[in-house]
Amino acid sequence: MATKMQMADMRFVDGYGPDAQKVAVLEKPFHMSIRRAEIPIPAEDEVRIRIKWVGICGSDLEAYRGTRAPEFITTPARLGHEVSGVIDMVGEKVKGLRVGAHVACRYVWGAFAQYIVCKAFNVIALPDDFPMLDISPIEVLPGILHAAELGQIQQAKNVLIMGQGVSGLIMTQVVHLFSPKCLAVTDLSETKLALARKYGATHTYLLPDKNARTMDYAGKDFSDGFDVVIPCLLEGDGIVDAIDAAAMCARVVMYGCIGVCNTPVDFFKAHRKRLEFYFTEPRRDIDMRRFFDEGVRLVTEGLVNTSEMITHTFPLDEIDEAFRLRNAQQKDVIHIVIDCEENRSVRANEDYRF
């Protein structure tokens, strides 16, 4: 069975002793707080990571809004999984990872904290001189690379990516490397679309609101629809628009639209179009590691940029404010990252590298 997301323990303590750390807790929808919890000790097959940066992912936002199904998450809960940190303790049976290594993590949950522990499988080391802030978005790359492969993207294919948040912008960069005939993207923000054009999009469509139909805007250029449709939207309702935008015999690769869908889905339309649907989380551990390794190389070798979409950072103490800003969906906000070491705010356009 494939490895699942590891959930961090919530062993809360009173006071500010040397064995206590700060952790962010979702107490109830729309309310994050800072509590104290035990600093975990790694088991013999684990490492402990002193966390620096953690990005606010769309899945975190869903949990914050209370729209995630109860079987996935209940409150109170710890969130956060886009990790950048430094190994500060290594279990005696762990080989190949060292104290002081700069790492990204995958399949960990509860990382809005100062420390987490996880197995070596969940960790990948990066060059010590690579900017720490740019590491945390690497977590999304295995699913994105898998999505591009599932799409069977080739030079004769027209591809549509719906949404240009942080995952959508990284998806655009990766899909561009697969050399499609045309690469169209949509978003509600011209700022994001400008980045998408820089990253290889051949056609960009500014939609007026989240309920707009893609083909009302892209249909004049792609009247038959798209051979590959990749939703990178949070809300599940986007699947209806994805089906409408798909050409006959197209592939719909569900990187996004994994949230709650409140709109009826016309599966007969999908049947008539002979559509194929794919989901992007790797089904085998070996594939996840392969995509993780490949994603790191793309970033460290300069083929995928993870820094330009980071627009805001906040200290851990201000995480509730950060989530409120992320939830407001302002068009100048792309990606918000939490600094789990500092107690001061560092805003966009300041010197945040170290």
Side-chain angles (χ1 to χ4, degrees):
M1 180 179 292
T3 297
K4 297 180 180 180
M5 183 80 76
Q6 294 186 15
M7 308 293 281
D9 290 334
M10 291 198 298
R11 298 178 183 177
F12 298 123
V13 298
D14 295 324
Y16 297 81
D19 297 326
Q21 64 162 329
K22 290 188 295 186
V23 299
V25 177
L26 177 67
E27 303 286 358
K28 60 183 180 180
F30 302 102
H31 178 59
M32 300 285 293
S33 71
I34 298 296
R35 292 205 206 176
R36 295 279 166 169
E38 293 180 0
I39 295 177
I41 302 297
E44 61 183 11
D45 61 344
E46 294 180 326
V47 298
R48 187 172 72 189
I49 298 168
R50 175 171 51 83
I51 299 172
K52 177 57 181 174
W53 302 103
V54 184
I56 299 179
C57 178
S59 58
D60 296 313
L61 190 60
E62 272 199 312
Y64 175 76
R65 292 171 174 170
T67 55
R68 281 254 159 163
E71 62 266 24
F72 178 81
I73 189 168
T74 57
T75 53
R78 288 176 57 182
L79 308 179
H81 59 95
E82 295 182 358
V83 178
S84 164
V86 178
I87 294 176
D88 82 331
M89 188 177 292
V90 177
E92 61 183 17
K93 290 190 176 180
V94 174
K95 306 297 181 185
L97 292 171
R98 59 174 176 81
V99 171
H102 294 189
V103 296
C105 295
R106 198 154 202 271
Y107 292 162
V108 300
W109 192 270
F112 290 125
Q114 292 176 299
Y115 296 90
I116 56 168
V117 296
C118 59
K119 297 185 182 298
F121 173 79
N122 303 89
V123 176
I124 192 163
L126 284 94
D128 289 346
D129 60 351
F130 192 78
M132 290 285 287
L133 183 61
D134 299 353
I135 292 175
S136 71
I138 290 173
E139 193 271 347
V140 304
L141 270 156
I144 285 173
L145 287 164
H146 193 208
E149 288 197 0
L150 289 171
Q152 294 189 355
I153 297 168
Q154 300 171 1
Q155 291 178 336
K157 298 290 181 70
N158 292 323
V159 180
L160 169 67
I161 300 175
M162 301 166 60
Q164 291 293 284
V166 60
S167 292
L169 287 166
I170 293 176
M171 182 76 73
T172 296
Q173 295 178 72
V174 169
V175 170
H176 174 63
L177 294 173
F178 279 72
S179 304
K181 179 181 179 181
C182 294
L183 174 53
V185 306
T186 63
D187 202 82
L188 307 180
S189 165
E190 178 55 41
T191 299
K192 297 175 185 177
L193 293 179
L195 275 178
R197 288 190 288 271
K198 176 180 177 180
Y199 295 153
T202 59
H203 298 70
T204 59
Y205 300 98
L206 181 66
L207 304 184
D209 58 67
K210 66 179 183 180
N211 298 316
R213 292 183 66 252
T214 294
M215 292 306 286
D216 287 345
Y217 298 85
K220 62 183 184 297
D221 299 318
F222 299 93
S223 57
D224 293 330
F226 294 88
D227 304 301
V228 183
V229 179
I230 308 176
C232 288
L233 307 169
L234 181 59
E235 293 78 8
D237 292 342
I239 183 57
V240 177
D241 194 34
I243 291 172
D244 284 344
M248 286 289 294
C249 300
R251 292 188 168 216
V252 179
V253 185
M254 299 288 292
Y255 181 85
C257 292
I258 57 175
V260 175
C261 183
N262 297 301
T263 304
V265 178
D266 186 352
F267 284 108
F268 185 55
K269 182 182 291 186
H271 169 76
R272 286 187 287 112
K273 286 188 172 185
R274 282 77 162 170
L275 302 184
E276 297 179 350
F277 292 85
Y278 296 87
F279 297 87
T280 60
E281 205 51 56
R283 301 175 70 178
R284 302 183 302 179
D285 285 349
I286 190 66
D287 294 324
M288 196 286 281
R289 286 299 310 193
R290 175 169 60 88
F291 289 129
F292 208 1
D293 289 338
E294 186 176 340
V296 167
R297 288 199 305 274
L298 289 174
V299 173
T300 57
E301 294 174 7
L303 298 179
V304 169
N305 186 304
T306 58
S307 65
E308 290 180 323
M309 63 278 297
I310 298 173
T311 53
H312 298 73
T313 70
F314 286 81
L316 184 60
D317 288 339
E318 297 179 18
I319 193 168
D320 197 45
E321 179 185 348
F323 266 87
R324 287 197 298 270
L325 178 61
R326 178 69 171 83
N327 185 57
Q329 296 184 302
Q330 298 178 11
K331 293 183 179 180
D332 62 336
V333 177
I334 304 178
H335 195 37
I336 298 175
V337 182
I338 303 300
D339 186 341
C340 293
E341 286 189 335
E342 297 296 331
N343 293 319
R344 60 182 177 83
S345 296
V346 184
R347 302 306 186 196
N349 301 321
E350 293 183 9
D351 184 10
Y352 51 68
R353 302 180 190 278
F354 62 97

